[in-house]
Amino acid sequence: GQNIDQPTEMTATEGAIVQINCTYQTSGFNGLFWYQQHAGEAPTFLSYNVLDGLEEKGRFSSFLSRSKGYSYLLLKELQMKDSASYLCAVRDGNYQLIWGAGTKLIIKP
Amino acid sequence: IAGITQAPTSQILAAGRRMTLRCTQDMRHNAMYWYRQDLGLGLRLIHYSNTAGTTGKGEVPDGYSVSRANTDDFPLTLASAVPSQTSVYFCASSEEEGESGELFFGEGSRLTVL
């Protein structure tokens, strides 16, 4: 079967750096997405990786290794507003999105 | 209207009742989707539509139906609600499958079936 694994919850300190990992096993691969979801709100798009390597966008970076079935989202200079759930999703060979359960990130002062 | 609008925001429904969740987008996106989100699980696709006039089944379609009469509207109907359909429902849209296919989500509809 297809599955996406990511930690359920992580805690980090304001101003620090945190890395959220995502491993996947899918039938085919056509890209990996990261979304941010604040409690009670809709998910919003953060990043998209289809080739191996690092994509940087401001304080957020996303890395992909297709051979390892692995991605991470790196958040730098953490702010309290970064407290949210981070969802990893993979588009499989049939262009269907498979979603992880999300990682709840708690930022402490 | 800017983006995707869902209605109602929240609803409590008796089991056995019929319910339609409305979704409207003003971005002229071809593809639209309905997801449900339950605690501890990833988003699960209920139904989708790649373009007006066509629909398809997702991962968990049973008990739900959709229609896509035009580009903007994509309602989701529960013909006879059951308690296991208690969930948060998100409507989403995207421009094209071939590109990044970024999804734009509505604010969600929280449905409780008693």
Side-chain angles (χ1 to χ4, degrees):
Chain A
Q2 305 195 100
N3 71 285
I4 310 288
D5 288 318
Q6 46 181 136
T8 303
E9 187 174 297
M10 298 181 70
T11 302
T13 304
E14 189 177 16
I17 299 173
V18 70
Q19 178 175 311
I20 303 173
N21 296 325
C22 171
T23 58
Y24 63 89
Q25 291 179 311
T26 58
S27 301
F29 178 84
N30 283 295
L32 184 143
F33 298 81
W34 284 96
Y35 282 79
Q36 181 189 60
Q37 185 177 24
H38 286 100
E41 297 184 7
T44 56
F45 173 80
L46 284 178
S47 67
Y48 170 71
N49 295 69
V50 67
L51 300 176
D52 291 351
L54 189 68
E55 294 280 343
E56 297 186 78
K57 190 184 295 185
R59 293 188 299 114
F60 293 9
S61 303
S62 56
F63 171 83
L64 173 67
S65 169
R66 288 172 297 171
S67 63
K68 295 182 179 179
Y70 168 69
S71 173
Y72 68 72
L73 180 69
L74 191 71
L75 291 74
K76 302 177 184 177
E77 301 170 14
L78 285 170
Q79 302 175 9
M80 297 304 293
K81 68 178 182 180
D82 297 330
S83 292
S85 288
Y86 292 86
L87 314 181
C88 175
V90 173
R91 186 190 286 148
D92 70 9
N94 293 319
Y95 279 84
Q96 298 299 311
L97 269 180
I98 312 300
W99 294 82
T103 298
K104 182 178 181 180
L105 178 64
I106 300 168
I107 309 297
K108 296 186 174 180
Chain B
I1 299 177
I4 295 186
T5 301
Q6 290 185 231
T9 303
S10 179
Q11 182 76 45
I12 299 174
L13 188 67
R17 296 297 296 270
R18 180 183 179 89
M19 178 71 195
T20 295
L21 303 180
R22 301 183 297 278
C23 176
T24 299
Q25 55 112 350
D26 65 354
M27 297 176 285
R28 308 303 293 173
H29 286 171
N30 282 321
M32 296 188 75
Y33 313 84
W34 273 106
Y35 286 94
R36 59 178 290 171
Q37 187 174 41
D38 302 289
L39 197 63
L41 300 177
L43 288 165
R44 292 185 290 169
L45 183 65
I46 304 170
H47 285 285
Y48 65 93
S49 168
N50 288 330
T51 189
T54 68
T55 62
K57 294 182 179 180
E59 180 186 356
V60 288
D62 294 343
Y64 306 94
S65 64
V66 292
S67 62
R68 187 87 184 278
N70 56 61
T71 297
D72 298 344
D73 300 300
F74 191 44
L76 176 74
T77 297
L78 290 67
S80 179
V82 295
S84 62
Q85 292 178 312
T86 294
S87 187
V88 180
Y89 292 86
F90 286 101
C91 180
S93 71
S94 65
E95 285 186 338
E96 298 286 347
E97 277 192 5
E99 299 298 322
S100 73
E102 172 188 349
L103 291 180
F104 294 83
F105 286 86
E107 290 303 309
S109 297
R110 181 176 296 275
L111 184 65
T112 302
V113 183
L114 302 176

